[in-house]
Amino acid sequence: MSDLKVGLNVEITGKIGKNGRPLQGVIKFMGTAAFKPGKWIGVELQTPEGKNDGTVEGKQYFSCKPNHGMFVRQNQVSLVKEGRAAPRGTSGIARPSTASPQVIPAEHVIVLVT
């Protein structure tokens, strides 16, 4: 399965979260599953926008919080380059960083006027 492996941060292609940004998470499972033929990637999402807790049809493939788990095909994920993923438990609000600068879409910028 290419450069993908358990523990890497990925973005789910074509899946947009409630915050308007692509869903991201950590690969927790790779392999075949009993629920459908083929190879699957189990991802623990950063936000509760998944479909399970790593268990499908009574079989546990990995463990995570309820609604944080999602199974996708390899062509539905892409590796997140370092510095792109919001750390677990954060809001994704931009903060000063030593990582390379990133463009933040205007609709995600809040301007406070005092």
Side-chain angles (χ1 to χ4, degrees):
M1 289 189 155
S2 70
D3 295 333
L4 300 174
K5 63 183 179 179
V6 172
L8 292 179
N9 291 321
V10 292
E11 186 172 284
I12 311 299
T13 307
K15 299 282 186 182
I16 304 299
K18 293 174 187 168
N19 64 1
R21 301 177 83 170
L23 292 179
Q24 293 185 348
V26 176
I27 296 176
K28 300 293 251 179
F29 169 85
M30 294 180 71
T32 59
F35 55 86
K36 274 195 179 172
K39 293 184 180 179
W40 291 91
I41 296 177
V43 179
E44 179 181 5
L45 301 173
Q46 294 174 342
T47 55
E49 298 181 68
K51 298 181 178 185
N52 56 59
D53 63 357
T55 303
V56 177
E57 297 177 356
K59 179 166 177 155
Q60 184 176 24
Y61 296 92
F62 65 95
S63 179
C64 66
K65 293 179 187 174
N67 299 317
H68 280 72
M70 179 180 283
F71 285 86
V72 295
R73 300 289 189 172
Q74 179 180 350
N75 65 350
Q76 293 177 277
V77 297
S78 58
L79 288 175
V80 173
K81 293 186 182 349
E82 231 176 288
R84 278 192 52 210
R88 239 184 214 291
T90 66
S91 63
I93 296 172
R95 290 180 173 77
S97 167
T98 57
S100 59
Q102 298 177 20
V103 176
I104 300 173
E107 63 267 19
H108 296 287
V109 175
I110 298 171
V111 178
L112 299 176
V113 179
T114 57

